[in-house]
Amino acid sequence: MKQKKNKNAYRAIAFLVIAVIAGIAIGVLAGLSLPKQEEAPVLENVSLPGAGAGDVIQNYLGATQESSINLLSTTALGAGFENINEYYDADGSSLGKHIVYTGKKNINVYNKIPGNERIEKGDSLATINGRMEPLSVATLIKEWGNWFQIVSDDISGFVNGADFVLAKDAETLDSSTYQDVATTNTDDVYIRETEDVVSTIICVLPKGISLPVLEYGDEYSEVYLTGLGEGWISNEEADFSNVRKQAKSVKEESTLTNAVSNGIDEAAEVEAALQAEMEGLARSYALAQIEPAPPDSADTAALREAVANYAQEFVGILPYVWGGSDLTSGVDCSGFTSAVYAAYGIGIPRTSGDQAYGGTPVSMDDLRPGDIIGYPGHVAMYIGGDTVVHAPTEGRCVEYGNLYMMEIINVSRYIN
């Protein structure tokens, strides 16, 4: 009898243990079936246009399932705000509210919430879809704690919700969310330093580049170029519009940055060419203003002819040697002319620059044999009939050349 009681006691203890274990198991299973914390979606391959009816968003990932939403762009006139884009589904239900970014700096629009380890298999790296500047507008789709899921123009993603206000709370800011924009309507548009046609060109832009307008003028308007600052654009070379400030994609920012950077380099080349042209015109004008010299005496004329004829004796024979001034072994351009003059006891400067300006200035209408013709980095001796003799370059000998073979910068006379 005692043995039977012991067996019953053991059986009761066993049932108790099983009951405890079962309870724990049920609790665990119940815990596993509890709903998970809602995770913010990842927007991939999403295009949310800022205008147009019936646009479809493909692969919009909601918190619990994948779906596609037909969004219609409309005007929130009922809320008292003109031209404010809000997004509606096919049933006319609003999917978002108009918001304004009131921060002081540009803000990034990410493809997902940065640092959220639960998103996309634990990958927390977020990329930048675009950026919003101060007083840009967007549509708030959903709030995820401190982060806003937004749409701005054709940019969608997540922004830090700080410094955003609802449009209904920003009536005084509403007019500031618009900006005047100048869009270049042709290629090779010159952006100038001031509103003057002869002002320095600081950038050259292609067609289709949009720039904020700072001030309107009668012929030129002041615009702002990222990375450069203020400049002036011809009103005839731009189309002007008034648009809302919205997000810009990384590609758009890169296109603008590259256009300005390349335009600065191109402007420097254009300015250099214009400067050279202006200097050439100035030199031509100066040469034309020089009064002709009196007629030569017989002895002076004979000396001129002798020097010019002597220079021609080396044509096709004397080789070019850089730095050379020896009429037997080789010469460079200024070495040749100085050596020819030296043979007649006439000393002239050695270098081409000094020779071109070292003598008596001569008018182009008063050229005489023996005159030194100055070109950019080069000199030659005039012999008459629009012809010169000179030592041209490596690998060639002294030769004849046309007087106008290069731009003439000055003419100097050493036989008077």
Side-chain angles (χ1 to χ4, degrees), residues 14-336:
F15 282 131
L16 179 60
V17 171
I18 291 172
V20 171
I21 293 174
I24 293 173
I26 292 171
V28 170
L29 291 174
L32 292 176
S33 65
L34 289 174
K36 294 182 178 180
Q37 182 181 2
E38 192 173 45
E39 296 181 359
V42 180
L43 301 184
E44 295 179 349
N45 303 318
V46 177
S47 177
L48 300 180
D55 295 303
V56 179
I57 304 176
Q58 298 294 339
N59 299 324
Y60 176 89
L61 301 183
T64 58
Q65 62 183 1
E66 181 176 339
S67 62
S68 296
I69 303 176
N70 294 320
L71 295 186
L72 306 181
S73 178
T74 187
T75 303
L77 295 176
F81 297 98
E82 294 185 358
N83 301 322
I84 294 177
N85 288 333
E86 290 195 5
Y87 292 88
Y88 292 76
D89 62 18
D91 297 325
S93 299
S94 175
L95 295 175
K97 296 299 183 182
H98 179 66
I99 56 175
V100 179
Y101 173 54
T102 60
K104 302 300 183 183
K105 304 186 296 185
N106 289 0
I107 189 172
N108 293 333
V109 181
Y110 295 97
N111 69 324
K112 59 187 176 184
I113 299 175
N116 190 331
E117 299 290 346
R118 299 169 299 166
I119 296 178
E120 198 175 1
K121 299 179 181 178
D123 179 9
S124 62
L125 297 178
T127 57
I128 297 173
N129 285 346
R131 268 178 276 272
M132 296 180 67
E133 63 178 303
L135 298 178
S136 294
V137 298
T139 298
L140 173 61
I141 302 297
K142 190 170 183 179
E143 295 185 38
W144 302 89
N146 295 327
W147 290 87
F148 285 1
Q149 181 182 341
I150 61 99
V151 179
S152 183
D153 196 17
D154 60 351
I155 307 301
S156 60
F158 296 87
V159 294
N160 191 314
D163 298 320
F164 278 90
V165 297
L166 290 174
K168 66 183 182 64
D169 299 326
E171 292 187 50
T172 57
L173 294 174
D174 191 54
S175 61
S176 301
T177 64
Y178 288 90
Q179 66 179 354
D180 289 340
V181 171
T183 302
T184 54
N185 58 23
T186 185
D187 284 322
D188 299 325
V189 174
Y190 291 167
I191 305 299
R192 297 184 179 274
E193 193 170 45
T194 65
E195 50 181 327
D196 193 325
V197 69
V198 298
S199 174
T200 301
I201 299 167
I202 59 175
C203 192
V204 181
L205 295 177
K207 184 178 181 179
I209 299 299
S210 296
L211 305 168
V213 176
L214 303 178
E215 179 182 342
Y216 285 105
D218 293 336
E219 296 182 7
Y220 286 83
S221 293
E222 189 177 24
V223 293
Y224 182 81
L225 294 84
T226 302
L228 181 60
E230 297 82 4
W232 293 81
I233 189 171
S234 168
N235 292 341
E236 295 181 355
E237 296 181 325
D239 296 326
F240 296 89
S241 57
N242 184 255
V243 299
R244 279 209 182 260
K245 297 179 183 179
Q246 299 192 83
K248 292 184 176 64
S249 68
V250 175
K251 182 178 180 180
E252 286 178 299
E253 286 189 336
S254 178
T255 297
L256 176 58
T257 300
N258 290 338
V260 173
S261 177
N262 294 335
I264 292 172
D265 294 338
E266 188 173 349
E269 295 176 3
V270 171
E271 276 294 317
L274 290 174
Q275 183 66 24
E277 182 179 353
M278 294 299 294
E279 289 176 356
L281 292 173
R283 284 192 293 266
S284 297
Y285 176 80
L287 290 174
Q289 304 308 305
I290 299 172
E291 293 292 332
D296 290 331
S297 66
D299 290 343
T300 300
L303 179 58
R304 290 185 189 285
E305 291 294 334
V307 170
N309 289 335
Y310 182 58
Q312 296 176 66
E313 293 182 12
F314 301 95
V315 171
I317 299 173
L318 185 61
Y320 179 96
V321 175
W322 187 84
S325 58
D326 190 331
L327 294 176
T328 59
S329 59
V331 292
D332 60 16
C333 64
S334 56
F336 172 61

Side-chain angles (χ1 to χ4, degrees), residues 305 367-369 381-388 400-404:
E305 291 294 334
L367 292 177
R368 300 174 191 180
M381 181 180 290
Y382 183 69
I383 61 172
D386 287 348
T387 304
V388 297
Y400 291 109
N402 184 278
L403 172 64
Y404 301 101

